[in-house]
Amino acid sequence: MTQKTEQKQKSHDAILASAATLLLERGIQASSIMDVMKGAGLTVGGFYGHFDSKEHLFTETLRSTARTAWNALLRKAKEDAPEAPALKVLERYLSRKHRDAVTPTCPLPSITAEVSRAGEPYRGGLEAELQEFVRSYAELLPSGARRREKALAAIALMYGALSLARAVRGTKLGDEFLDAARKLGAELLTKEGA
């Protein structure tokens, strides 16, 4: 790899890292190309050497940020509970620690409403990642006819409960959302034939 190619890759990675930070902090619409490039330590003029548009940048950022967070969650769950990783994913995702993180790692609870309003290309990028989440989570479950359905339900329960718990963080209700979702999710995942 030439020095020029290496530098271009470093700049590309810095742009993605800056965009990921802004995505988690502000969302898509409130993040400008100027802010992204400033966070990357680069000038705005260099942006189009890496991305065609803001939509291209944030679609890639959404996908890579969501994938990274999900894969880290799966990996840690498999390490900590190889006998029941699906339950460990549910437990970790719906923990008070995850809800209260100063810097969240998973963008989905924060940006799903924005993606819904903005439409394409964000919707397609999110759908592709969610399809992979469902596939990989279903693989953690015992084989059966309703494996995919359970994975879909558990993921919806996790994201929905975390979103609501974050919205009312610091209240008894916020804790109740997490506790109830963990309990019902565990029942869903362990019930035979359901």
Side-chain angles (χ1 to χ4, degrees), residues 56 96 105:
H56 178 208
R96 285 168 178 75
T105 56

Side-chain angles (χ1 to χ4, degrees), residues 70 73-74 85-94 108 130 133-134 136-141 146-163 177-178 180-190 194:
W70 180 253
L73 180 64
L74 290 180
L87 288 174
K88 187 54 95 172
V89 167
L90 182 87
E91 178 184 297
R92 283 184 173 285
Y93 197 85
L94 293 173
L108 299 186
L130 289 173
F133 290 6
V134 172
S136 61
Y137 196 65
E139 286 181 355
L140 301 179
L141 300 173
R146 300 187 71 194
R147 190 178 189 185
R148 179 174 167 80
E149 185 178 356
K150 284 184 177 186
L152 286 161
I155 289 170
L157 181 68
M158 285 188 282
Y159 288 114
L162 185 67
S163 296
F177 279 128
L178 293 177
R182 273 194 317 273
K183 180 179 177 184
L184 290 174
E187 289 174 15
L188 166 76
L189 295 176
T190 58

Side-chain angles (χ1 to χ4, degrees), residues 99-162:
R99 177 199 57 199
D100 298 339
V102 175
T103 305
T105 56
C106 180
L108 299 186
S110 304
I111 56 95
T112 52
E114 186 174 6
V115 168
S116 176
R117 286 188 303 274
E120 293 300 337
Y122 310 116
R123 183 176 294 140
L126 180 58
E127 179 190 11
E129 292 308 311
L130 289 173
Q131 288 285 3
E132 180 56 24
F133 290 6
V134 172
R135 186 203 61 73
S136 61
Y137 196 65
E139 286 181 355
L140 301 179
L141 300 173
S143 60
R146 300 187 71 194
R147 190 178 189 185
R148 179 174 167 80
E149 185 178 356
K150 284 184 177 186
L152 286 161
I155 289 170
L157 181 68
M158 285 188 282
Y159 288 114
L162 185 67

Side-chain angles (χ1 to χ4, degrees), residues 2-185:
T2 67
Q3 186 176 5
K4 186 175 180 181
T5 305
E6 285 179 26
Q7 184 55 45
K8 184 167 184 170
Q9 186 59 51
K10 284 182 184 179
S11 295
H12 189 85
D13 293 345
I15 293 167
L16 283 174
S18 177
T21 299
L22 291 171
L23 179 72
L24 292 167
E25 290 175 358
R26 302 180 188 174
I28 298 166
Q29 296 303 319
S31 300
S32 69
I33 292 174
M34 183 182 301
D35 292 337
V36 170
M37 296 304 280
K38 182 178 178 183
L42 300 167
T43 63
V44 175
F47 175 81
Y48 292 100
H50 296 275
F51 298 95
D52 297 334
S53 63
K54 178 182 176 181
E55 290 78 16
H56 178 208
L57 167 64
F58 276 98
T59 300
E60 186 173 330
T61 302
L62 168 64
R63 292 190 71 178
S64 65
T65 305
R67 184 180 318 119
T68 298
W70 180 253
N71 288 341
L73 180 64
L74 290 180
R75 186 179 58 255
K76 189 72 172 142
K78 288 175 185 177
E79 290 170 5
D80 292 349
E83 69 292 342
L87 288 174
K88 187 54 95 172
V89 167
L90 182 87
E91 178 184 297
R92 283 184 173 285
Y93 197 85
L94 293 173
S95 68
R96 285 168 178 75
K97 181 180 177 182
H98 187 220
R99 177 199 57 199
D100 298 339
V102 175
T103 305
T105 56
C106 180
L108 299 186
S110 304
I111 56 95
T112 52
E114 186 174 6
V115 168
S116 176
R117 286 188 303 274
E120 293 300 337
Y122 310 116
R123 183 176 294 140
L126 180 58
E127 179 190 11
E129 292 308 311
L130 289 173
Q131 288 285 3
E132 180 56 24
F133 290 6
V134 172
R135 186 203 61 73
S136 61
Y137 196 65
E139 286 181 355
L140 301 179
L141 300 173
S143 60
R146 300 187 71 194
R147 190 178 189 185
R148 179 174 167 80
E149 185 178 356
K150 284 184 177 186
L152 286 161
I155 289 170
L157 181 68
M158 285 188 282
Y159 288 114
L162 185 67
S163 296
L164 292 170
R166 281 184 178 167
V168 293
R169 180 181 322 181
T171 69
K172 182 180 177 194
L173 183 61
D175 292 340
E176 288 177 318
F177 279 128
L178 293 177
D179 295 340
R182 273 194 317 273
K183 180 179 177 184
L184 290 174

